[in-house]
């Protein structure tokens, strides 16, 4: 996980430009109020023109180029510093502090490379301009020149310390977020383990017990149709004994996939235990539920298993429609009893209650 401050610098670039426009406006206002003559530039309006041209170029670059925009804005900070010193330096002392502008702007990007760029730009370009621009040398005596160099270096070192602290905070935040995400993932995993069967991904026995109580309460309240079916794979022990538990688990997983694909989002498929499954079918009449179970029975019987010598898998099913006041124990016990009756009567069939009598219809699918 990587938490990067100002991952998208577009908003920061826009904010820096707004600040530059504000500074340019304040400088123009200060010049008009002071009515002073510039030392190097002919007038305050020339200084403002220099600001405006620089900022308009930056606006164009921000809109149409964007690449390396942060370096351009840092450079504009140096332009501002020099123009301020040349415009007001003879009337106001100490304006060389403006040379910190590009360094301060570079710190905002939380990047050591940009901080180095701002520091070298201020130090190197000021040294060059001091060597060739006479008005700058007139403003600064040798002691001030040394102080300016120390100020730029000192600000750069402070910026480095700020970035180091920011990196430490960033690393601590990443560790905290990573730990929180891992804890959340662990809690989800534990919750899933408690609700779902790890082999098939179906709802497990414990969750079924809670869910069936809730669904019965809804049936009692709203009178919704509710059927419960118990399905058991026939002769499954033979598969485990003959081909091993790995193949047996594979049969269980494929059966679970088939069940999930067959039922609707309102229904619930449960691995009750071993090779026994339960389907909670809501909003379906007995006839609709029987049609669905017959489709499942046929699909399971048509599956082919090369790894177990094409051994045919079949399923025996018992289904009961809920009656008011029945309770979850009676509901499951009745369906389970019908399932075992289906096994006794030949397996690979569906046994259901019709008018309170156990029934079997070989023509359900027709």
């Amino acid at each position: 996980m990587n938490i990067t401050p100002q991952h998208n610098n577009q908003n920061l670039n826009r904010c820096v430009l707004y600040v530059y426009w504000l500074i340019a406006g304040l400088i123009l206002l200060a010049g008009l109020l002071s009515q002073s003559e510039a030392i190097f530039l002919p007038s305050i309006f020339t200084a403002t023109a220099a600001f405006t041209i620089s900022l308009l170029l930056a606006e164009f670059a921000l809109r149409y180029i964007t690449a390396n925009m942060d370096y351009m804005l840092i450079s504009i900070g140096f332009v501002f510093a020099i123009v301020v010193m040349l415009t007001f330096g003879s009337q106001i002392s100490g304006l060389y502090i403006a040379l910190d502008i590009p360094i301060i702007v570079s710190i905002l990007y939380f990047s050591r490379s940009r901080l180095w760029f701002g520091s070298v730009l201020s130090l190197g370009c000021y040294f060059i301009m001091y060597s060739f621009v006479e008005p700058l040398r007139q403003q600064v005596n040798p002691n001030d020149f040394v102080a300016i160099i120390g100020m730029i270096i000192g600000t750069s070192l402070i910026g480095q310390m700020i970035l180091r602290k920011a990196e430490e905070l960033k690393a601590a935040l990443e560790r905290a977020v990573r730990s929180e995400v891992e804890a959340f993932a662990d809690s989800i995993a534990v919750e899933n383990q408690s609700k779902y069967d790890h082999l098939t991904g179906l709802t497990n026995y414990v969750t079924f017990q809670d869910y069936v109580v809730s669904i019965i309460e809804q049936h009692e309240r709203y009178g919704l149709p509710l059927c419960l079916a118990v399905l058991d794979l026939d002769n499954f022990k033979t598969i485990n004994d003959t081909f091993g538990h790995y193949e047996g688990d594979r049969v269980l997983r494929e059966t679970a996939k088939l069940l999930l694909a067959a039922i609707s989002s309102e229904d619930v498929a449960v691995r009750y235990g071993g090779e026994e499954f339960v389907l909670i079918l809501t909003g379906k009449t007995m006839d609709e539920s029987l049609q669905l179970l017959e489709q499942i029975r046929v699909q399971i019987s048509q599956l082919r298993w090369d790894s177990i010598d094409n051994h045919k898998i079949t399923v025996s099913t018992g289904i009961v429609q809920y009656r008011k006041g029945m309770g979850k124990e009676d509901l499951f016990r009745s369906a389970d009893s019908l399932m075992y009756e289906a096994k006794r009567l030949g397996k690979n069939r569906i046994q259901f209650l019709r008018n309170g009598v156990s029934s079997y219809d070989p023509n359900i699918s027709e």
Side-chain angles (χ1 to χ4, degrees):
M1 178 176 295
N2 185 19
I3 302 173
T4 304
Q6 299 297 340
H7 178 71
N8 183 355
N9 288 331
Q10 192 74 5
N11 291 335
L12 178 58
N13 291 338
R14 168 53 58 193
C15 291
V16 172
L17 262 178
Y18 283 151
V19 172
Y20 279 156
W21 279 113
L22 178 62
I23 293 175
L26 292 175
I27 290 174
L28 173 61
L29 180 62
L32 292 175
L33 294 176
S34 67
Q35 297 181 350
S36 62
E37 295 295 330
I39 297 175
F40 184 68
L41 298 175
S43 69
I44 187 63
F45 298 105
T46 304
T48 304
F51 293 150
T52 302
I53 292 172
S54 299
L55 294 178
L56 288 176
L57 289 174
E59 291 283 357
F60 177 84
L62 181 63
R63 177 167 298 187
Y64 298 105
I65 301 177
T66 69
N68 297 320
M69 188 65 199
D70 40 6
Y71 289 99
M72 182 176 183
L73 292 175
I74 293 171
S75 301
I76 289 177
F78 179 77
V79 173
F80 268 49
I82 292 299
V83 172
V84 166
M85 292 175 66
L86 292 174
T87 304
F88 298 103
S90 61
Q91 287 81 26
I92 304 173
S93 60
L95 287 182
Y96 51 77
I97 195 174
L99 291 169
D100 276 342
I101 292 177
I103 301 175
I104 294 172
V105 172
S106 66
I107 293 174
L108 297 177
Y109 291 95
F110 289 96
S111 167
R112 290 187 181 276
S113 61
R114 289 165 179 79
L115 177 57
W116 279 113
F117 174 79
S119 302
V120 172
L121 178 71
S122 289
L123 190 61
C125 291
Y126 177 73
F127 182 80
I128 293 173
M129 295 197 70
Y130 180 84
S131 301
F132 294 99
V133 179
E134 180 63 27
L136 283 179
R137 288 199 300 272
Q138 292 176 358
Q139 295 180 31
V140 180
N141 59 46
N143 291 332
D144 289 336
F145 179 76
V146 174
I148 291 171
I149 300 300
M151 178 197 71
I152 295 174
I153 294 175
T155 305
S156 300
L157 292 176
I158 292 173
Q160 292 290 345
M161 288 187 290
I162 292 174
L163 292 187
R164 179 181 298 176
K165 187 63 177 179
E167 290 170 353
E168 293 175 357
L169 293 174
K170 172 188 169 184
L173 179 59
E174 287 182 347
R175 288 193 299 270
V177 172
R178 189 181 301 111
S179 298
E180 184 175 347
V181 170
E182 290 174 353
F184 179 74
D186 289 343
S187 67
I188 293 297
V190 171
E191 183 178 0
N192 286 340
Q193 286 181 349
S194 66
K195 289 186 176 181
Y196 299 101
D197 175 62
H198 72 281
L199 177 63
T200 63
L202 300 182
T203 301
N204 63 21
Y205 169 83
V206 175
T207 306
F208 162 74
Q209 297 296 328
D210 296 331
Y211 181 78
V212 75
V213 171
S214 175
I215 203 68
I216 287 175
E217 290 176 354
Q218 291 184 22
H219 172 85
E220 294 281 2
R221 188 178 301 116
Y222 303 110
L224 300 174
L226 172 63
C227 293
L228 186 139
V230 177
L231 303 83
D232 193 273
L233 298 179
D234 298 323
N235 303 317
F236 185 75
K237 185 176 185 300
T238 302
I239 297 174
N240 275 336
D241 293 344
T242 305
F243 303 102
H245 288 279
Y246 176 83
E247 295 299 334
D249 288 348
R250 180 168 171 264
V251 170
L252 293 175
R253 285 194 295 268
E254 292 301 319
T255 301
K257 289 180 183 178
L258 190 150
L259 294 177
L260 287 175
I263 63 177
S264 69
S265 59
E266 298 175 348
D267 304 326
V268 177
V270 181
R271 185 188 179 197
Y272 195 81
E275 67 272 23
E276 190 171 5
F277 301 89
V278 173
L279 294 181
I280 303 174
L281 306 175
T282 60
K284 297 178 178 63
T285 64
M286 173 61 86
D287 289 337
E288 291 171 338
S289 298
L290 286 172
Q291 290 287 342
L292 174 62
L293 292 173
E294 175 63 12
Q295 293 174 16
I296 291 172
R297 185 193 68 79
V298 172
Q299 290 174 4
I300 290 176
S301 66
Q302 291 177 345
L303 291 174
R304 292 295 174 261
W305 309 87
D306 294 339
S307 59
I308 57 175
D309 298 335
N310 289 320
H311 186 91
K312 186 176 182 179
I313 305 296
T314 61
V315 62
S316 296
T317 304
I319 179 172
V320 174
Q321 186 169 26
Y322 181 80
R323 301 186 307 276
K324 189 174 181 64
M326 197 173 189
K328 72 171 185 177
E329 289 80 9
D330 290 341
L331 180 65
F332 178 80
R333 189 183 301 112
S334 298
D336 195 50
S337 176
L338 288 169
M339 181 272 294
Y340 280 108
E341 185 174 351
K343 284 186 175 294
R344 288 194 302 270
L345 295 175
K347 301 179 181 177
N348 191 25
R349 57 190 282 159
I350 302 170
Q351 206 71 22
F352 59 95
L353 285 180
R354 180 77 73 185
N355 297 324
V357 179
S358 176
S359 305
Y360 163 70
D361 186 354
N363 300 313
I364 290 174
S365 58
E366 296 181 359

